Amino acid sequence: MSKKITAFYDDELNAWLHSISFYMTELSNLSFRLKEIVERNSIVDIASKADVHQLILENTRNKFEVLRNIIFEQKKVLTEFDILMVDKMVTKSIEQKQKEITLEFKKMEQDHISVKFHCNEFLNEMLRKKG
């Protein structure tokens, strides 16, 4: 009984979970850097500008949490008692869900890159103003 498809799906899901953990760490680091820049800076309105970025980071973090939960649910569907199902048990519904997760993960990666870029751009600008 072959498990090539389910093993591939499981490996893909595990890689996404690993990436999400990495991205969440990046978001936490950016959030910390924003807090630091507000605490060390006397530029007018910097706190309100940083708050906007903090909200965006938090929104992105929440979306990753939702995606993480969806991935865990898909992993449960693929396994029973921590054993992957055989390929012939993979339904069209399971395949469709995997495709949906793939698209959502790709979208979230793109969103994360954009959020990270804009936050770093803001931090860089604030550091230049300070110096």
Side-chain angles (χ1 to χ4, degrees):
M1 291 193 217
S2 176
K3 294 184 181 182
K4 292 178 184 175
I5 294 170
T6 55
F8 174 79
Y9 284 174
D10 191 56
D11 287 346
E12 191 172 45
L13 294 168
N14 288 330
W16 291 336
L17 288 170
H18 179 74
S19 293
I20 288 172
S21 292
F22 177 77
Y23 297 148
M24 297 280 274
T25 299
E26 282 188 323
L27 292 169
S28 293
N29 291 340
L30 286 169
S31 182
F32 179 77
R33 289 177 61 205
L34 284 170
K35 288 177 188 172
E36 270 189 332
I37 204 122
V38 169
E39 290 171 359
R40 294 181 182 178
N41 217 311
S42 60
I43 298 172
V44 178
D45 295 330
I46 193 169
S48 62
K49 292 176 185 176
D51 281 348
V52 170
H53 289 279
Q54 289 285 17
L55 289 172
I56 293 168
L57 293 174
E58 186 62 32
N59 185 38
T60 304
R61 188 178 295 111
N62 290 340
K63 288 179 182 179
F64 272 128
E65 279 296 331
V66 169
L67 182 57
R68 184 188 306 206
N69 290 335
I70 291 169
I71 290 170
F72 280 129
E73 287 302 312
Q74 181 74 347
K75 285 180 66 61
K76 285 181 191 175
V77 168
L78 292 174
T79 59
E80 186 173 346
F81 305 111
D82 291 331
I83 299 172
L84 289 173
M85 70 171 56
V86 294
D87 287 348
K88 69 180 183 180
M89 302 295 290
V90 175
T91 64
K92 293 288 183 198
S93 174
I94 292 171
E95 289 175 352
Q96 183 59 37
K97 188 64 177 181
Q98 193 79 15
K99 287 178 186 175
E100 289 171 10
I101 296 170
T102 300
L103 293 174
E104 185 60 26
F105 184 79
K106 182 179 178 180
K107 180 185 175 301
M108 280 302 305
E109 274 191 318
Q110 291 169 338
D111 289 351
H112 174 72
I113 290 167
S114 178
V115 165
K116 186 172 94 171
F117 173 80
H118 290 293
C119 189
N120 278 325
E121 189 175 51
F122 171 75
L123 288 165
N124 191 21
E125 180 183 328
M126 291 302 108
L127 289 171
R128 280 193 312 267
K129 284 184 180 180
K130 184 181 175 189

